[in-house]
Amino acid sequence: MSQSKITPKSYKVLAVDDNEDITELLEYTLSKEGYQVKTTWDGSTAIQLAQSFLPDLILLDISMPIMDGIEAGRLLRQIPALDYTFLIYLTARVEEYAEVAAFDIGADDYLIKPIKPRALVSRLKALLRDKNELAYSSTEFRIGDLKIDSLSYTINYQNKVLQLPKKEFELLYFLVQHQDTVYTREQLLSHVWGAGMHITPRTIDVHIRKIRERTGFDYIKTVKGIGYKFTTEPENT
């Protein structure tokens, strides 16, 4: 029996920002597109609400009272029920260290204010479409003692089951699909995050480092002055 694709009406979004005008704009814009939307104004409340609402996407500001967005994001990423929830920062913070900190705790995207409603809706649809298409592809890659399953977002390495945050998984999955091909940081950003995203190439370095730390394998090779590639021959980088 064929499975039907998920529609926007099936998705839930939690928007977290201490600016009421922004949460009202997000609720209006996304509700009009068919999403179920809940809003709150601080990171601490967001953690409590996320555990009961179980959103598919969380839009999170950084500069908030009581608990900032980076700390809230770190705690949200520790909740097993939210393993497959997209964590997207929507912030006015343009400093590179803020962006790196966001991706370091497992963010899937980093968008700069001011909000452009149509662009935001388009970006969210792209993220959910990629997730939906990946989930229904059931493609599995086996390379030596490494198996990557795109249906469950899991990695089996040396008989150990590993799980990565979604963007780290998708980056690794892309490199494995194109093993022995060298990609620049800009090319990886375009393929994994999508063209037109204003994310620094440093993001790729952070994600590669995290993949190496979490998996323990050294199949991703740094090609100095160019970028990265996945190779079946383990090498020190």
Side-chain angles (χ1 to χ4, degrees):
M1 184 176 68
S2 62
Q3 302 182 54
S4 59
K5 295 282 181 137
I6 300 172
T7 66
K9 293 183 184 298
S10 305
Y11 289 116
K12 297 185 287 187
V13 180
L14 173 61
V16 189
D17 199 299
D18 63 334
N19 186 321
E20 188 175 355
D21 290 339
I22 289 177
T23 54
E24 287 181 354
L25 174 60
L26 290 171
E27 184 170 19
Y28 172 78
T29 299
L30 298 176
S31 296
K32 192 169 65 171
E33 292 293 322
Y35 296 99
Q36 301 176 52
V37 184
K38 287 188 181 294
T39 65
T40 188
W41 62 278
D42 78 279
S44 180
T45 306
I47 293 168
Q48 299 174 34
L49 184 55
Q51 293 181 81
S52 59
F53 185 47
L54 298 178
D56 298 287
L57 299 119
I58 298 175
L59 296 173
L60 190 60
D61 190 18
I62 290 181
S63 301
M64 295 185 294
I66 303 179
M67 181 183 293
D68 69 57
I70 296 299
E71 178 63 12
R74 185 184 68 79
L75 294 174
L76 286 164
R77 278 294 180 232
Q78 294 177 7
I79 300 173
L82 302 177
D83 280 349
Y84 299 102
T85 296
F86 283 109
L87 180 60
I88 302 163
Y89 280 92
L90 185 57
T91 177
R93 298 286 294 274
V94 297
E95 306 93 338
E96 183 178 355
Y97 71 82
E99 182 178 333
V100 170
F103 284 116
D104 218 20
I105 57 92
D108 296 293
D109 219 335
Y110 193 92
L111 308 178
I112 302 297
K113 295 176 182 176
I115 297 170
K116 299 177 181 177
R118 284 188 293 181
L120 175 62
V121 168
S122 177
R123 187 61 197 153
L124 298 190
K125 285 182 177 178
L127 283 170
L128 292 167
R129 182 176 63 246
D130 290 346
K131 175 183 178 181
N132 202 15
E133 290 175 352
L134 185 60
Y136 281 91
S137 68
S138 68
T139 302
E140 185 179 278
F141 278 86
R142 294 175 181 264
I143 301 173
D145 55 3
L146 174 66
K147 181 178 76 173
I148 300 182
D149 185 351
S150 67
L151 185 62
S152 61
Y153 270 74
T154 56
I155 299 163
N156 190 301
Y157 177 59
Q158 295 181 341
N159 296 318
K160 294 180 180 179
V161 177
L162 310 171
Q163 284 193 312
L164 301 178
K166 284 183 290 298
K167 279 303 174 190
E168 290 175 24
F169 178 90
E170 290 168 4
L171 177 57
L172 175 62
Y173 189 73
F174 178 82
L175 288 169
V176 170
Q177 284 181 297
H178 303 86
Q179 65 180 98
D180 297 317
T181 301
V182 180
Y183 286 92
T184 66
R185 291 166 178 81
E186 290 77 10
Q187 288 172 326
L188 290 171
L189 282 173
S190 178
H191 284 292
V192 179
W193 274 264
M197 293 301 299
H198 301 293
I199 301 174
T200 66
R202 165 71 174 159
T203 298
I204 296 297
D205 299 329
V206 171
H207 279 63
I208 294 293
R209 174 171 58 82
K210 285 294 185 181
I211 291 170
R212 288 168 173 161
E213 290 175 355
R214 296 183 205 274
T215 62
F217 60 63
D218 54 359
Y219 292 152
I220 301 177
K221 178 182 177 182
T222 302
V223 182
K224 292 185 178 179
I226 304 177
Y228 297 98
K229 72 173 181 179
F230 184 94
T231 177
T232 55
E233 294 296 326
E235 299 181 32
N236 294 322
T237 58

